[in-house]
Amino acid sequence: MDPKVFDVEGADVAWCPGCGNFSILKTLKETLSEMEITPQQLVMVSGIGQAGKLPHYIKSNVFNGLHGRSLPVSTAIKAVNPELIVINVSGDGCTYGEGGNHFIHNIRRNPDITNIVHNNMVYGLTKGQASPTSLRDYSTPLQIEGVALEPFNPLAIAIALKASFVARAFSGDIKETKEILKKAIKHKGYALIDIFQPCVTFNKVNTYQWFKNNTYYLDDSHDYNNREEAFKRAIETEKYPLGIFYKNSDNITFNESLSSYKTDKSPLYKRDFHEDKLNKLIESMK
């Protein structure tokens, strides 16, 4: 299938020239086309930020929500119609900052969705403040003496909570990122892909070359079913590993935990509406 099927004609792309978001958009379009996923099958859900603009530039069903509040919406969409491919996309500020609590409890619920987080270690939309993943001593116009806080480690948090699928990619490596995305989308359960993505305007430290020099790929000897080993890799900072860190197929998905799907697997939107039963339920709650 031609990736151009996902092009939005006349889209006014609001990213800076050279932004790492462009390669993520290109990679995602190619991934979806190679997987034969149509725009009609796909729902893109996002929050606020430069990363949150990505669904505006890809032809599909789209829900653009509040800052940090997109994961509950993604969970609800998948619950109502499990036949849809639901991809949540936003940045490190939106997902790990404002949406940090949703991020944690979304892992626990394990909805069958893919969560792509653009991680550029800075707030790019609001002109360069430190984000939850900014490194210690990183200086910004606001944190003029450097960041004093420990960077938020989404992979370590996810593995500690026995997330279903945990991976990290780099936007500059399209081939490798595409393979990670394919495996994440095919995976049953919540899949987190943290993607290193340079902000060429506001982050002059974590550049394309910096990510190239400070990352390496996990090799075939890494056992992603070994949670302890995955956690050790997730807390490495001398060089940051890329690839699939952890997979856990033991947790049931959010939909599987719902009584609505115990005996009837049909999507909720296809079912008959029984007003009398709803009224009876409401009355029983008074």
Side-chain angles (χ1 to χ4, degrees):
M1 191 167 74
D2 191 337
K4 290 183 179 179
V5 73
F6 293 102
D7 289 352
V8 177
E9 187 176 350
D12 182 16
V13 180
W15 293 331
C16 302
C19 176
N21 287 334
F22 284 103
S23 58
I24 295 177
L25 177 62
K26 171 183 170 64
T27 303
L28 183 57
K29 286 181 178 180
E30 292 182 1
T31 300
L32 294 168
S33 65
E34 290 175 16
M35 295 179 72
E36 298 292 328
I37 295 172
T38 67
Q40 292 76 19
Q41 294 173 290
L42 176 66
V43 182
M44 298 290 298
V45 184
S46 69
I48 301 300
Q50 295 293 9
K53 296 178 186 292
L54 184 142
H56 304 172
Y57 314 135
I58 185 167
K59 185 180 288 185
S60 66
N61 302 290
V62 174
F63 187 101
N64 187 217
L66 299 174
H67 206 3
R69 305 295 185 261
S70 58
L71 283 170
V73 176
S74 300
T75 302
I77 291 170
K78 189 68 176 183
V80 172
N81 188 357
E83 296 174 353
L84 293 169
I85 304 295
V86 180
I87 297 179
N88 183 290
V89 56
S90 208
D92 48 309
C94 186
T95 305
Y96 306 143
E98 285 80 356
N101 200 45
H102 287 303
F103 171 70
I104 290 170
H105 295 292
N106 179 79
I107 294 170
R108 298 176 60 234
R109 292 187 186 96
N110 194 34
D112 187 14
I113 64 173
T114 303
N115 188 189
I116 300 171
V117 183
H118 301 209
N119 186 354
N120 55 24
M121 302 182 178
V122 73
Y123 274 102
L125 182 69
T126 50
K127 301 185 178 180
Q129 301 94 331
S131 83
T133 56
S134 295
L135 301 181
R136 280 184 182 273
D137 299 322
Y138 174 68
S139 180
T140 79
L142 184 63
Q143 290 83 16
I144 57 175
E145 295 183 357
V147 175
L149 306 179
E150 179 69 18
F152 185 83
N153 188 327
L155 275 62
I157 295 293
I159 294 167
L161 291 171
K162 298 185 178 180
S164 186
F165 182 106
V166 181
R168 181 193 281 140
F170 170 50
S171 66
D173 295 336
I174 291 179
K175 179 182 176 182
E176 291 83 355
T177 301
K178 193 187 301 184
E179 291 308 307
I180 292 171
L181 285 171
K182 286 180 181 178
K183 291 174 182 176
I185 294 170
K186 289 178 182 177
H187 179 78
K188 181 182 178 182
Y190 172 70
L192 169 67
I193 311 98
D194 183 77
I195 303 184
F196 283 152
Q197 171 259 312
C199 175
V200 295
T201 299
F202 294 111
N203 189 338
K204 303 299 186 182
V205 174
N206 308 116
T207 62
Y208 281 96
Q209 193 59 50
W210 186 93
F211 283 119
K212 279 288 188 182
N213 294 342
N214 290 278
T215 59
Y216 74 94
Y217 279 91
L218 297 169
D219 59 29
D220 293 339
S221 66
H222 174 67
D223 180 7
Y224 52 63
N225 294 306
N226 185 325
R227 182 164 163 248
E228 184 176 343
E229 181 60 27
F231 190 85
K232 288 179 181 178
R233 297 286 187 151
I235 61 175
E236 290 183 11
T237 56
E238 185 174 343
K239 280 201 171 185
Y240 295 86
L242 303 173
I244 299 173
F245 285 66
Y246 183 62
K247 289 177 70 173
N248 170 25
S249 300
D250 294 336
N251 299 344
I252 63 171
T253 65
F254 179 73
N255 278 25
E256 289 172 332
S257 71
L258 299 175
S259 59
S260 305
Y261 290 110
K262 294 297 183 184
T263 57
D264 186 351
K265 302 300 181 184
S266 61
L268 297 183
Y269 82 96
K270 288 185 176 179
R271 301 185 192 183
D272 294 332
F273 173 62
H274 298 282
E275 187 175 358
D276 57 329
K277 291 184 178 180
L278 177 61
N279 289 333
K280 186 177 180 180
L281 176 63
I282 293 173
E283 290 296 323
S284 70
M285 299 295 178
K286 292 183 178 178

